[in-house]
């Protein structure tokens, strides 16, 4: 946490994303939804690592102040992480600061037209990916690439070297 009073663990990216996804997205959701979540989680973490860390003592913590991480893994979410290994959301040569929250409303604070979220109570800061919106778009037949480019206008999903994934 911001107090830096807890334990400091070093976790490789693949394990980290596998331990966050089932605690930030709903495991029963569509594959495209979980794949979207895996890329958002990976990009958010990579952004903080690249920035030198969110805290003096650690890149991130394992709470809702960063992303909820637990040493608890599930086949369905591990499959989404593996299917998107090495993929990040970028704009040009820069990582996107891939914020997300449960319900961002219509429009989001980034000005994204979000008709599938209209009328739903806002739950979160309204920036970046709308977690419930990812499920609604997936049920509407959209791919994870489309969903991510929708929530982060001007950005695209790109693969990275496998060495990043292992570090």
């Amino acid at each position: 946490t911001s107090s830096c009073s807890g334990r400091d663990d070093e976790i490789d990216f693949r394990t980290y994303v596998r331990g966050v996804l089932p605690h930030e997205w709903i495991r029963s959701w569509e594959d495209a939804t979980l794949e979207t979540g895996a890329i958002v989680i990976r990009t958010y973490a990579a952004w903080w690592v690249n920035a030198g860390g969110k805290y003096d003592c650690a890149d991130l913590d394992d709470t809702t102040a960063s992303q909820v991480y637990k040493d608890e893994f599930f086949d369905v979410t591990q499959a989404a992480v593996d299917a998107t290994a090495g993929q990040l959301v970028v704009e040009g040569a820069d990582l996107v600061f891939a914020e997300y929250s449960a319900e961002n409303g219509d429009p989001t604070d980034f000005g994204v037209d979000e008709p599938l979220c209209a009328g739903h109570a806002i739950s979160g800061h309204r920036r970046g990916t709308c977690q419930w919106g990812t499920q609604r778009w997936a049920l509407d037949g959209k791919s994870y690439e489309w969903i991510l480019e929708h929530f982060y206008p001007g950005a695209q999903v790109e693969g990275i070297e496998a060495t990043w994934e292992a570090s």
Side-chain angles (χ1 to χ4, degrees), residues 15 30 46 48 75 81 97 119-120 122 129 131 135 140 147 163 166:
T15 301
E30 298 294 306
W48 278 112
D75 290 344
V81 173
F97 185 52
H120 295 276
I122 294 169
T129 299
Q131 289 160 294
Q135 174 67 353
D140 198 47
I147 295 168
T163 54

Side-chain angles (χ1 to χ4, degrees), residues 96-138:
V96 168
F97 185 52
E99 294 180 284
Y100 58 91
S101 62
E103 284 285 3
N104 288 351
D106 178 38
T108 71
D109 270 4
F110 290 168
V112 173
D113 182 36
E114 191 48 32
L116 299 184
C117 292
H120 295 276
I122 294 169
S123 175
H125 49 61
R126 300 177 48 101
R127 296 184 304 272
T129 299
C130 169
Q131 289 160 294
W132 280 92
T134 64
Q135 174 67 353
R136 292 182 194 113
W137 284 114

Side-chain angles (χ1 to χ4, degrees), residues 74-107:
F74 301 89
D75 290 344
V76 66
T77 51
Q78 287 189 54
V81 173
D82 293 345
T84 63
Q87 295 181 40
L88 296 167
V89 183
V90 298
E91 189 166 354
D94 298 322
L95 290 168
V96 168
F97 185 52
E99 294 180 284
Y100 58 91
S101 62
E103 284 285 3
N104 288 351
D106 178 38

Side-chain angles (χ1 to χ4, degrees), residues 1-11 48-49 52-62 66:
T1 66
S2 60
S3 69
C4 293
S5 62
R7 201 175 75 210
D8 186 8
D9 296 327
E10 186 173 316
I11 303 168
W48 278 112
V49 168
K54 188 172 184 179
Y55 306 106
D56 291 340
C57 58
D59 293 323
L60 295 163
D61 68 4
D62 60 359
S66 295

